[in-house]
Amino acid sequence: MKLLKHLVFGILLIVAAAMIVPAHVYAAKTLRLAVTDIEGLEMLQREFGAFRDVLSEKTGMEVKFFPVPNRTAAVEAVKSENVDFVLTGPAEYVVFKKLTDAEPVVGFSRPDYFCSVVVLADSGINSVAELKTKKVAIGGVGSTSKHLAPMQIMADNGLDPLKDVSVVHTSVDLGWQALKRGDVSAWGMTTDKFIKLRAKDKELQPGAFKVIARGPDLPNDVLLAAKHVDPQLINTMKKVFIDHSDELVAAILQGSDNKKYSGMKFLPTVKDQDYNYVRSMYRTIGYPKFAGFVE
């Protein structure tokens, strides 16, 4: 009888242990998703609602949006385990990795995602070196393609962009007009935006502009997983993006701001070292520790 009691007690212990499920397994039934460059739940619904619905269907888990007002708030949400996955840009990823040790899950490729340095064709400027002491317009502070990339192109071509040129931060449209008026000698911008502006310009023909340098294709936007996310769940997510790529691409393209992803491919082989060129950009602009966003 005593032996039977011990046997029953042992079985009960095994059953009880099996019923103790780690918190992250329960949490995995609901995946919390943030997108760093979109503010407010309404805009998230509009841009990524269809994508969220398909992702929920294919993972078999509810995907809920976690709106964040800015990139810093997204980092804090990851660190406090309030967010499981974050879709962010390459410049932001480097900081996320440093501050949270988040893991890249899948890259969101963007065709022709690189930066060009543009001048007027009749300016007499034929190389980046000739921009020394001149004004160069670039985009908003902290942008991968509009700020960091043009600064790195200048560095790659022998200039110190912090000392050798006068940098003017401006919007895409204002930078375009400044170049046309001659207020700046060059304009560093995402190439697809340059091509679109050139095509629709009513004042100057395409031949009025000249690209004197272009950077390499930039690392992609990336879906990253917070450190607390179970590795098995990360593998499941990768498989979903591989097996249901066409449906997920079609869903993401329903957002009007997501047209930048037209022709995209999901890249589940994305690795941390793919972003080393972005780390070079941070060093070039004087942020070698990658420990905070450029504001």
Side-chain angles (χ1 to χ4, degrees):
M1 180 64 70
K2 190 173 183 180
L3 179 62
L4 180 60
K5 287 182 178 179
H6 282 300
L7 181 61
V8 171
F9 182 69
I11 292 172
L12 289 174
L13 282 177
I14 293 171
V15 171
M19 293 176 68
I20 299 173
V21 182
H24 65 257
V25 174
Y26 285 116
K29 294 179 181 177
T30 300
L31 306 181
R32 298 158 298 177
L33 173 67
V35 182
T36 58
D37 64 346
I38 293 183
E39 295 183 19
L41 183 58
E42 182 179 347
M43 186 173 290
L44 270 173
Q45 297 277 12
R46 184 168 63 247
E47 292 296 325
F48 286 94
F51 172 76
R52 175 208 54 203
D53 293 345
V54 174
L55 193 59
S56 294
E57 176 190 347
K58 300 308 179 185
T59 60
M61 293 173 275
E62 183 182 13
V63 178
K64 284 189 174 181
F65 288 132
F66 189 95
V68 289
N70 52 56
R71 300 170 296 180
T72 301
V75 166
E76 293 306 316
V78 169
K79 291 168 71 173
S80 61
E81 300 188 7
N82 287 319
V83 165
D84 305 306
F85 295 92
V86 179
L87 177 59
T88 195
E92 290 79 8
Y93 166 75
V94 167
V95 177
F96 269 98
K97 182 64 178 176
K98 177 72 174 182
L99 298 181
T100 72
D101 198 26
E103 178 178 341
V105 179
V106 60
F108 285 45
S109 74
R110 291 172 57 178
D112 300 322
Y113 183 41
F114 58 90
C115 175
S116 293
V117 177
V118 184
V119 299
L120 294 176
D122 60 2
S123 66
I125 298 172
N126 297 298
S127 69
V128 171
E130 295 172 66
L131 295 177
K132 191 167 185 176
T133 73
K134 294 181 168 57
K135 284 186 180 180
V136 178
I138 61 175
V141 174
S143 167
T144 308
S145 60
K146 304 180 190 72
H147 173 200
L148 276 65
M151 296 288 274
Q152 188 61 38
I153 289 175
M154 288 186 275
D156 289 343
N157 284 271
L159 291 183
D160 181 343
L162 299 179
K163 298 177 180 178
D164 293 337
V165 298
S166 177
V167 170
V168 179
H169 289 281
T170 185
S171 68
V172 172
D173 290 333
L174 290 178
W176 178 248
Q177 296 300 328
L179 178 67
K180 287 169 53 179
R181 290 194 303 267
D183 294 341
V184 296
S185 298
W187 180 58
M189 182 51 57
T190 318
T191 298
D192 63 340
K193 295 191 185 314
F194 160 58
I195 291 173
K196 289 174 183 175
L197 285 168
R198 186 183 64 181
K200 70 180 185 180
D201 196 271
K202 304 295 185 184
E203 299 172 338
L204 298 176
Q205 293 296 318
F209 305 94
K210 178 170 61 178
V211 174
I212 59 170
R214 62 149 286 183
D217 283 18
L218 294 166
N220 297 291
D221 290 357
V222 61
L223 181 71
L224 57 85
K227 192 175 181 179
H228 67 268
V229 176
D230 192 298
Q232 187 173 356
L233 176 55
I234 294 174
N235 290 334
T236 297
M237 290 289 280
K238 287 178 182 282
K239 190 173 189 305
V240 165
F241 278 96
I242 293 170
D243 293 346
H244 304 285
S245 175
D246 291 346
E247 293 159 276
L248 287 164
V249 168
I252 204 169
L253 291 178
Q254 290 189 33
S256 59
D257 190 54
N258 289 339
K259 300 308 179 188
K260 62 187 179 184
Y261 293 118
S262 296
M264 72 169 291
K265 176 181 174 64
F266 292 117
L267 304 172
T269 57
V270 63
K271 303 180 295 299
D272 177 67
Q273 54 262 43
D274 296 340
Y275 295 82
N276 283 343
Y277 187 61
V278 178
R279 292 182 172 99
S280 297
M281 298 176 187
Y282 273 103
R283 294 187 189 98
T284 292
I285 65 169
Y287 286 74
K289 295 183 178 180
F290 326 125
F293 297 110
V294 185
E295 303 292 352

